[in-house]
Amino acid sequence: MRIGLILGDQLSLSLATLRVLDPQHDVLIMAEVADETAYVPHHKQKIALIFSAMRHFAHELRSAGWRVCYHQWQPDSPFKSLLDVVQYYQQTLAQQPGTSVESLVITRCGEYRLQHAINNEWSARLQLAVTVFEDDRFICPPGWFRQWSRDRKQLRMEFFYREMRRLTGLLMLNGRPVGNEWNLDHDNRKPWKGQPPLPAAPVAQTDPLDEEVLALVERDFGHHPGQLRPFLWPTTRTAALAELQRFIEQRLPWYGDFQDAMVSGEDFLFHSRLSAAINIGLLEPLEVCQAAEQAWQQGQAPLNAVEGFIRQIIGWREYVREIYWLQMPDYSGLNGLGYQRPLPRYYWDGKTDMHCMSECFRTTFNNAWAHHIQRLMITGNFALLAGIRPADICDWYLAVYADAFDWVELPNTLGMVMHADGGYLGSKPYAASGQYINRMSDYCKHCQYNVKTAAEHNSCPFNSLYWHFIETNRPHFVGNPRMTMIYKSLERQNDEQRQRIQARAHELLARLDDL
């Protein structure tokens, strides 16, 4: 008999572990344990989503003829880690007459921390052979990225994305991109001003198993951040496929135009919220992209929307995973700008007079979700401008978003948001003043701070901190060709103006928790 461990982000019947094992002879193990829920204070909805999806998947596996040993969450359980649970079931199964456990089979984890322990500790602790298979649910073939990156001084997602287009054939015609352009991002930067009408908001559709888990989370994880209801996440493949279809029909046609837009009180706009379902395995990334491509082929969605959506999946999603496994474990400790300020209080309680930040915190804590521009250009941009310690903001993103797993969160936050990797992932920092926020949202109209000034007592903190960031980090960026115009703008400021802006920025940093 072999045993296979199925993790909470591996809820796919196509998983390598399930292809290798035999339901007639082998046993699967699944477990809800303290070590995986508490290493950061995960949002209540994130815990509920994973626990409920795992329980639904275990039921699906049993219906398909698998024997599943499932350890449900118990706050006083003596089994705190996945290894504890595996060891327990190994011993229990071995005690059955005529049974011996030959080996443990697992598909590569999404987190270096756990995979490192499995590779280096589990076999000795279990006195059992441990076999790890590559997670081929991802599109980039194992080893391909390492070879592709070997002789490159800079790894740019755009060129990787083109290779993934060629590999998958998505939006390709005779070896060329349809429309003769690889990237249509220049068409995807419109603010939303009321038209077209927004689709109806998602409606909670929980079943008894979901409700059981929600009650458990409220009871035992009530001290974790976020609201538990409304709980809008699909927890089965059937529900996830229905969510995909709703997105294709109701939101994808306008996703491209308005994917960067932000509006007070509107949480979802034209976004899919499918990333969590993809990341835990309820949907396959390629099938999601193919569904979007089919919508374009049938005239249901324009090319800029479909290309932009597909790029997020086969471009950024695949790219950051490859960066993660290529560079870990050293990557997690990078701090190229030497930032040391702790995360401000409002990242946990959401209470700030900066309306843009308040709105992003509201949707984060209400939904365990915010769209990519809210994460990158509001909460992330502020952390970059304020000099927040990268480890602090990385842990925050990992904790509060339902789709955040270490392989996808760490490169996006440490590299793309915080530029802490020295430009390895992105060629320039994603720093912006309040003018960008004002252009892409209605947030500034509802804010007590003045987005038109940088040096006054009520100036938008983003404005003052932006120019402080540019001035302070001159040694890092003045030679960057993509920032030449920014430094020319800085030089055009007279000495008095620059001094007043810097004074305003220092005053803000001195009372960062009170903004």
Side-chain angles (χ1 to χ4, degrees):
M1 171 194 294
R2 294 169 295 176
I3 53 177
L5 177 64
I6 309 293
L7 304 176
D9 60 350
Q10 298 181 340
L11 310 182
S12 308
L13 290 176
S14 62
L15 192 71
T17 300
L18 299 178
R19 295 201 307 271
V20 170
L21 297 181
D22 180 356
Q24 299 300 315
H25 304 101
D26 301 323
V27 175
L28 301 177
I29 297 174
M30 300 178 71
E32 305 162 5
V33 294
D35 281 3
E36 301 306 312
T37 59
Y39 63 92
V40 294
H42 294 290
H43 195 296
K44 289 194 281 283
Q45 287 189 36
K46 183 179 185 180
I47 297 172
L49 166 63
I50 295 173
F51 279 11
S52 185
M54 287 175 65
R55 294 184 183 191
H56 280 97
F57 190 62
H59 177 75
E60 184 178 358
L61 290 170
R62 290 181 178 124
S63 298
W66 288 94
R67 181 180 175 189
V68 181
C69 296
Y70 195 104
H71 177 73
Q72 291 195 355
W73 167 259
Q74 300 169 19
D76 55 353
S77 171
F79 308 131
K80 303 301 181 185
S81 70
L82 290 169
L83 178 58
D84 291 342
V85 175
V86 171
Q87 203 163 31
Y88 167 75
Y89 282 122
Q90 175 197 9
Q91 295 169 356
T92 302
L93 292 168
Q95 292 172 1
Q96 297 177 1
T99 300
S100 63
V101 178
E102 302 167 6
S103 64
L104 170 66
V105 174
I106 189 167
T107 299
R108 179 186 288 275
C109 307
E111 186 167 10
Y112 180 89
R113 168 190 63 90
L114 181 57
Q115 190 61 55
H116 180 76
I118 291 171
N119 291 345
N120 294 279
E121 302 170 18
W122 281 33
S123 183
R125 289 277 302 274
L126 296 169
Q127 296 186 338
L128 194 68
V130 177
T131 304
V132 178
F133 289 89
E134 288 296 331
D135 191 344
D136 55 9
R137 297 174 301 162
F138 289 88
I139 293 165
C140 186
W144 186 94
F145 188 85
R146 184 176 295 275
Q147 181 67 31
W148 177 79
S149 65
R150 184 163 293 163
D151 297 323
R152 294 174 181 264
K153 293 181 179 179
Q154 293 182 321
L155 305 182
R156 293 293 169 253
M157 190 282 293
E158 178 63 27
F159 300 112
F160 169 80
Y161 165 59
R162 294 178 186 184
E163 295 297 334
M164 293 301 100
R165 287 273 294 275
R166 294 185 180 103
L167 177 68
T168 61
L170 289 164
L171 298 179
M172 297 292 290
L173 181 63
N174 298 324
R176 294 287 302 160
V178 294
N180 291 316
E181 288 188 83
W182 291 103
N183 186 320
L184 299 175
D185 199 39
H186 51 77
D187 294 334
N188 296 345
R189 299 168 183 169
K190 297 178 183 177
W192 184 77
K193 298 182 178 180
Q195 291 296 326
L198 295 177
V203 177
Q205 297 179 329
T206 57
D207 62 20
L209 200 159
D210 293 326
E211 290 296 328
E212 177 184 295
V213 171
L214 289 167
L216 174 160
V217 172
E218 191 62 74
R219 183 190 71 221
D220 294 335
F221 297 94
H223 58 291
H224 281 232
Q227 303 300 314
L228 193 53
R229 296 175 188 272
F231 183 80
L232 304 174
W233 301 102
T235 57
T236 66
R237 176 165 170 77
T238 298
L241 286 169
E243 189 75 17
L244 170 61
Q245 188 59 36
R246 281 192 292 271
F247 166 68
I248 296 294
E249 294 174 356
Q250 301 175 12
R251 300 177 189 270
L252 179 60
W254 300 278
Y255 167 79
D257 289 351
F258 304 110
Q259 66 173 283
D260 289 2
M262 299 170 284
V263 181
S264 299
E266 297 293 347
D267 294 354
F268 308 123
L269 296 177
F270 299 101
H271 290 268
S272 73
R273 297 186 315 113
L274 295 172
S275 52
I278 298 172
N279 288 352
I280 65 175
L282 300 183
L283 295 173
E284 299 283 348
L286 190 57
E287 74 177 337
V288 172
C289 292
Q290 289 169 338
E293 181 186 47
Q294 185 178 43
W296 169 73
Q297 291 170 337
Q298 295 177 349
Q300 298 172 347
L303 183 59
N304 70 304
V306 173
E307 186 279 321
F309 180 70
I310 287 175
R311 180 167 15 98
Q312 294 297 321
I313 298 174
I314 71 169
W316 271 114
R317 183 177 187 269
E318 295 283 325
Y319 176 69
V320 297
R321 178 179 184 263
E322 295 298 330
I323 292 284
Y324 179 86
W325 286 111
L326 184 65
Q327 294 296 326
M328 285 296 283
D330 295 341
Y331 196 82
S332 64
L334 295 179
N335 187 358
L337 299 178
Y339 283 176
Q340 293 299 331
R341 286 191 183 89
L343 199 66
R345 161 197 54 77
Y346 31 82
Y347 277 80
W348 293 110
D349 65 24
K351 298 176 181 177
T352 171
D353 290 330
M354 295 178 285
H355 181 72
C356 60
M357 293 278 280
S358 178
E359 273 295 286
C360 294
F361 292 139
R362 181 189 60 76
T363 189
T364 294
F365 293 127
N366 285 357
N367 305 305
W369 184 87
H371 75 65
H372 64 285
I373 294 299
Q374 292 173 316
R375 301 189 203 192
L376 176 63
M377 302 307 298
I378 306 290
T379 54
N381 182 26
F382 187 83
L384 174 66
L385 300 182
I388 302 306
R389 188 164 45 233
D392 286 10
I393 188 67
C394 287
D395 283 351
W396 184 77
Y397 278 110
L398 187 60
V400 300
Y401 292 119
D403 57 5
F405 293 87
D406 203 51
W407 64 267
V408 66
E409 179 279 323
L410 182 65
N412 267 307
T413 305
L414 189 140
M416 190 176 184
V417 170
M418 297 302 294
H419 206 76
D421 62 2
Y424 182 77
L425 188 147
S427 59
K428 67 180 287 292
Y430 279 86
S433 71
Q435 295 302 323
Y436 171 85
I437 300 169
N438 193 34
R439 185 167 65 252
M440 295 309 304
S441 76
D442 69 346
Y443 289 163
C444 301
K445 297 176 183 178
H446 304 284
C447 189
Q448 71 174 37
Y449 291 109
N450 186 354
V451 74
K452 297 181 180 180
T453 64
E456 309 304 323
H457 73 281
N458 66 337
S459 294
C460 171
F462 281 84
N463 289 347
S464 311
L465 294 176
Y466 173 77
W467 289 113
H468 176 267
F469 170 85
I470 296 299
E471 182 83 73
T472 302
N473 291 291
R474 179 190 289 269
H476 293 283
F477 303 127
V478 71
N480 187 323
R482 296 190 65 192
M483 299 187 71
T484 299
M485 296 302 295
I486 295 170
Y487 280 99
K488 286 183 178 179
S489 296
L490 179 65
E491 295 303 325
R492 285 195 293 269
Q493 297 175 5
N494 62 51
D495 289 344
E496 180 187 2
Q497 184 183 20
R498 287 170 70 171
Q499 289 171 8
R500 292 182 64 216
I501 292 173
Q502 294 303 311
R504 165 68 173 163
H506 285 294
E507 180 262 329
L508 291 169
L509 293 172
R511 58 180 186 89
L512 199 58
D513 268 356
D514 299 323
L515 302 183

